[in-house]
Structure formats: structure tokens, C-alpha cells
Amino acid sequence: MSNNSGIGQLGNVTNRILLVEDEESIRELLILGLEEEGYDVVAMADGQAALTQCQQPISQPQDFPFDLIILDLMLPKVSGLDLCRFLRYQGNHVPILIVSAKTTETDRVLGLEVGADDYISKPFSMRELIARCRALLRRHRLNVAADTPTIHFQDITLYPEEYRVQVRGINVSLSPREFRLLELFMQHPRRVWDREQLLDRVWGIDFIGDRKTVDVHIRWLREKLEVDPSQPQYITTVRGFGYRFG
């Protein structure tokens, strides 16, 4: 029995992970490693089976049956990218960790742009995978637990308790990272943030990944907030320093 059997738990609740990986040897290895850490793992070998599982009707977002999804990109029937797109289109903010043999910067950026929270390239160590899972689950719990008043700035209204944003009176769907990034900006209008500061505050000081993920999320936010993303009015670039909101 693992000495870390309680790590996958929050209080008396065991974190439940959906693992979607078509390579049997990797899938079995991940199941063993995650279960030894105390996680409850549901494993599937193709994207269609996972999509069917994720389409089960729920009455509230918090009723979604998984706390984290570990997702391969190259899957039979339905790709990991399409599954990720579907979840984000539905407004589902479950943390998603992509594991893939694709290692180029373009692949990583694409994975983040479709809504993944983190990306790890094969081969990887179980220790690193577990660390990333813990970080994603921890930050997601903190995000859900956030309790601050409604925030307004010009045509944008952010509702922290409802995890909801309105832009010019229309609801806009944001990923968890986009939401926290916008919340930080709106709490500190006119302040200039560099990449490292944004990574520390939104991704966490234990973030392991590409610093360019900040630029990806800024670009995605602009596309959702700005009338003309090519000439942003809300999130502007301060050359040589970073980004400023307002």
C-alpha cells in the first residue's frame, strides 16, 4: 500500500479522475500510479466513450462526476482536442491535463487554446504527473471557493460566486484560467503585470510549463472581451513590461 494514499482526498472526499488513454500499457501504468496516490480513477480507451460519459445530464456544474481529466490527444473515434473543445463549449470548467507524444510548441499552444489547463509530453515521470494533478486540483478548489463581490469595469461584469462573466450584457464562457486572469486584472485596473507575476498569481508558484501560456490566454481573453481584438481596449500590451487592464 502506498504511503501517500490520502493525497487524492479532500477531507473525506476522494478526488475522481477520468483517464482517457488508448495505449493499454500507459493506461494501466497511470491507473496504478494514480490509485496508489489515493485517487479514484475511471479509465477509457477512446474519445467516444469519454464523450458519452461527459454528456451524462447533471443539474448543477458541481455535480459533474470528475474532478480532473487526464486526456491523450491522439484517440480513436473522437480526438482529445475535440473532447476538450466540447467540454469548454458546454461551459464545463473541470481541470484538463493533456498527455501527448506531440512535443512541438505548436501542439502545446493548440492544446492550451482549445481549453486545456496544462500539457505534459510523453515520456514523463509518474512523479511529475502526480505533481501536476495535485497543482491543478488545488488551484481548482481555490477557484471554486473564492468568495468576492461582483466586479464591474466599463462593459464587463464579473460574478466570482457564480463563475460568470458578462460583456456588454451578454454571458461569455471562460475557462478557469481565463476567469482567474480576468478577475485579477479587474481587481487591479491600470496595474502592469509581467509574465512571471501572472504565472505566480493565476497558475501558482509551482507551475511547471511553458511561460508562453500567458500570451495564449491573453490572446484568448481578448477574442472574448474586445470589440476588435487586434486593437484591444481592455487588455493592452505595455512594451518591455507586460500587460495592463483598463
Side-chain angles (χ1 to χ4, degrees):
M1 181 178 293
S2 169
N3 292 330
N4 298 322
S5 59
I7 289 177
Q9 297 182 343
L10 174 61
N12 295 321
V13 179
T14 299
N15 290 128
R16 199 162 188 243
I17 295 177
L18 174 61
L19 169 64
V20 194
E21 168 61 63
D22 63 320
E23 293 187 46
E24 184 176 2
S25 59
I26 296 178
R27 188 172 63 250
E28 294 302 319
L29 180 64
L30 293 179
I31 292 172
L32 179 62
L34 290 166
E35 288 184 343
E36 284 185 345
E37 295 295 327
Y39 296 108
D40 179 13
V41 182
V42 175
M44 297 183 177
D46 67 79
Q48 182 59 58
L51 179 60
T52 300
Q53 183 71 34
C54 292
Q55 287 178 318
Q56 297 298 320
I58 57 174
S59 58
Q60 298 292 333
Q62 60 267 28
D63 295 332
F64 187 69
F66 303 104
D67 302 294
L68 172 70
I69 296 178
I70 300 176
L71 182 63
D72 190 10
L73 288 184
M74 296 181 289
L75 295 168
K77 301 181 181 179
V78 175
S79 73
L81 286 177
D82 286 338
L83 179 58
C84 192
R85 285 192 187 99
F86 168 79
L87 289 166
R88 296 313 186 218
Y89 179 78
Q90 295 294 316
N92 192 318
H93 300 308
V94 62
I96 297 175
L97 170 60
I98 286 179
V99 293
S100 177
K102 296 184 175 183
T103 60
T104 69
E105 179 180 304
T106 299
D107 293 321
R108 294 196 302 273
V109 169
L110 180 59
L112 295 170
E113 283 187 331
V114 299
D117 296 278
D118 200 358
Y119 191 111
I120 183 172
S121 299
K122 300 176 182 177
F124 52 83
S125 70
M126 180 59 67
R127 182 177 180 181
E128 180 182 2
L129 179 80
I130 295 297
R132 289 175 185 257
C133 289
R134 290 179 195 164
L136 287 173
L137 288 164
R138 180 168 60 251
R139 287 194 291 272
H140 185 64
R141 289 196 296 267
L142 291 174
N143 291 345
V144 171
D147 183 10
T148 55
T150 301
I151 306 173
H152 300 274
F153 185 89
Q154 296 182 13
D155 293 332
I156 302 176
T157 305
L158 185 144
Y159 303 86
E161 293 183 12
E162 302 175 35
Y163 237 93
R164 183 165 62 93
V165 173
Q166 284 191 333
V167 181
R168 293 176 286 279
I170 299 174
N171 285 329
V172 175
S173 178
L174 301 182
S175 72
R177 288 268 170 73
E178 292 169 344
F179 187 91
R180 289 305 168 202
L181 190 57
L182 178 59
E183 183 179 35
L184 180 64
F185 279 143
M186 293 181 69
Q187 288 173 337
H188 304 277
R190 308 298 299 172
R191 173 173 172 173
V192 177
W193 300 84
D194 63 29
R195 277 200 194 104
E196 295 299 331
Q197 290 171 326
L198 293 174
L199 283 171
D200 287 348
R201 294 291 293 271
V202 178
W203 280 259
I205 59 175
D206 54 357
F207 172 72
I208 307 172
D210 195 331
R211 294 169 65 250
K212 291 183 179 179
T213 187
V214 173
D215 304 323
V216 171
H217 284 75
I218 293 291
R219 183 168 72 249
W220 206 356
L221 263 181
R222 283 172 172 165
E223 291 174 356
K224 296 179 179 181
L225 302 180
E226 305 284 356
V227 174
D228 182 359
S230 65
Q231 298 183 1
Q233 301 298 310
Y234 291 117
I235 305 175
T236 56
T237 301
V238 181
R239 300 289 180 187
F241 292 96
Y243 297 102
R244 178 174 58 209
F245 181 84

